[in-house]
Amino acid sequence: MKQRRMSDRLFSLVVYALLTGLALTIVLPMMQVLTISVSPLNVVNRYGFHFIPTAFDFSGYRQVFHKETIWTGYQNTLVRTILGTGITIVMTFLGAYPLSKRQLPNRAFWTGFVVLTMFFSGGLIPSYMLVKNIGLMNTVWSLVLPGAVSAFMLLIVRNFIAALPESLEESAKIDGANDLYILWKIVVPLSMPILATVALYAAVDHWNAWFDSMLYIQNEKKQVLQLILRKIIIDGTADPSTTGAADSMNAPTNSQAMKMAALVVTMLPIMCVYPFLQKYFVKGTLLGSVKG
């Protein structure tokens, strides 16, 4: 028994050490980004890491907030995130609910068809041609419709709904409730944890996405914030219509601080939302993955 306790303690020590190391790989880069974003140029140019600010200079944030493209990108990203998340929740739930019912004709076939899409896709060129031919170029629909439903999340939601007691629906039908009433008043409230999980996944995915905007959006006023951030990091300017070499008149005196400030401004909203959905995220993921 004593030897077993020692092995348990050793195992716990190794686990905590690994988790601590993993946490440091996340916390230290964030501290570096925050410190550089509020530090003057002479501090940024010093050799070594900067985890704690020794001097403060908010010119980087002033440069970021002064640019109209940042606010336009924020607006476009918010519209995309809210619209895309709502569409994803509705489409995923409406697809998962029928697949969770045993009485669905050819249920195994349709489930296998959904699983097949996780391993094979049309590819980038067919997707681009499809979006272009149906007239979605330079619209927000080209960003939210192609990836509206994730096969993985659809199966997770399906498993969650299938694990709900069938007696709830049976008792509701005995009381005279129809299928739509049961869906809205019973299934949807009980599925809130998994729906919150889907919402978090979809919101983070839409908030961080930039590649599809680069493909489908040619109008700079309709580009999302992450694409603008990418251009800031690469070019060193907050104006996507110029490059770092050509924009000599507006070149920032502290480009590193401006880049890090843009990074902080970009990731801050999604970091504020995550703590409120974390409990639903954990619960929904665990319950939705139990039953296959």
Side-chain angles (χ1 to χ4, degrees):
M1 181 66 69
K2 184 177 181 180
Q3 184 178 2
R4 185 175 180 180
R5 290 178 180 176
M6 289 297 296
S7 62
D8 292 340
R9 292 178 181 178
L10 181 61
F11 176 78
S12 300
L13 181 62
V14 172
V15 170
Y16 280 116
L18 291 176
L19 291 177
T20 302
L22 179 62
L24 290 177
T25 61
I26 299 174
V27 173
L28 292 181
M30 292 184 63
M31 293 178 60
Q32 173 86 351
V33 169
L34 289 172
T35 300
I36 293 179
S37 67
V38 297
S39 297
L41 185 61
N42 60 333
V43 176
V44 174
N45 291 335
R46 292 177 186 173
Y47 179 78
F49 295 100
H50 308 283
F51 297 126
I52 300 177
T54 57
F56 292 92
D57 180 14
F58 297 96
S59 60
Y61 287 95
R62 287 194 295 268
Q63 291 175 345
V64 168
F65 288 123
H66 180 70
K67 296 296 183 179
E68 183 180 355
T69 53
I70 297 293
W71 297 108
T72 303
Y74 247 118
Q75 179 181 352
N76 296 334
T77 301
L78 285 174
V79 171
R80 173 187 180 164
T81 302
I82 296 173
L83 182 61
T85 302
I87 293 176
T88 297
I89 292 175
V90 174
M91 297 290 289
T92 302
F93 188 79
L94 292 181
Y97 181 71
L99 290 177
S100 66
K101 301 304 176 183
R102 297 179 181 177
Q103 62 269 27
L104 177 70
N106 302 318
R107 178 192 181 199
F109 169 78
W110 295 116
T111 303
F113 184 80
V114 172
V115 174
L116 183 66
T117 62
M118 297 176 62
F119 302 98
F120 301 97
S121 63
L124 180 60
I125 296 177
S127 300
Y128 179 84
M129 294 178 61
L130 176 63
V131 171
K132 183 178 180 180
N133 291 335
I134 61 179
L136 297 182
M137 297 292 290
N138 280 315
T139 64
V140 69
W141 303 110
S142 64
L143 307 180
V144 300
L145 291 182
V149 179
S150 168
F152 173 76
M153 292 308 302
L154 189 145
L155 293 176
I156 293 293
V157 177
R158 166 194 172 272
N159 296 340
F160 184 95
I161 299 175
L164 297 177
E166 296 182 0
S167 58
L168 295 175
E169 297 188 23
E170 293 174 355
S171 61
K173 289 182 179 179
I174 294 175
D175 293 336
N178 56 27
D179 292 332
L180 291 178
Y181 186 89
I182 293 173
L183 177 64
W184 181 250
K185 293 294 185 177
I186 297 178
V187 180
V188 171
L190 293 177
S191 302
M192 281 302 175
I194 195 64
L195 293 181
T197 303
V198 175
L200 182 60
Y201 268 115
V204 172
D205 182 65
H206 282 293
W207 187 268
N208 293 330
W210 61 270
F211 185 70
D212 52 356
S213 178
M214 185 176 67
L215 289 177
Y216 304 134
I217 306 296
Q218 282 77 40
N219 189 345
E220 294 178 349
K221 295 183 179 180
K222 296 182 179 181
Q223 290 177 348
V224 296
L225 182 62
Q226 297 297 338
L227 186 58
I228 297 174
L229 172 64
R230 177 179 179 270
K231 294 182 179 181
I232 292 176
I233 298 298
I234 294 177
D235 301 333
T237 173
D239 188 354
S241 63
T242 61
T243 60
D247 194 20
S248 58
M249 296 298 294
N250 297 323
T253 58
N254 191 354
S255 61
Q256 289 298 323
M258 187 195 67
K259 293 178 182 179
M260 297 301 105
L263 186 59
V264 172
V265 169
T266 303
M267 68 180 181
L268 189 60
I270 204 68
M271 292 179 61
C272 295
V273 172
Y274 182 80
F276 297 98
L277 298 178
Q278 183 180 9
K279 60 179 181 180
Y280 299 107
F281 174 77
V282 175
K283 181 179 179 182
T285 304
L286 291 178
L287 294 180
S289 60
V290 170
K291 187 175 180 180

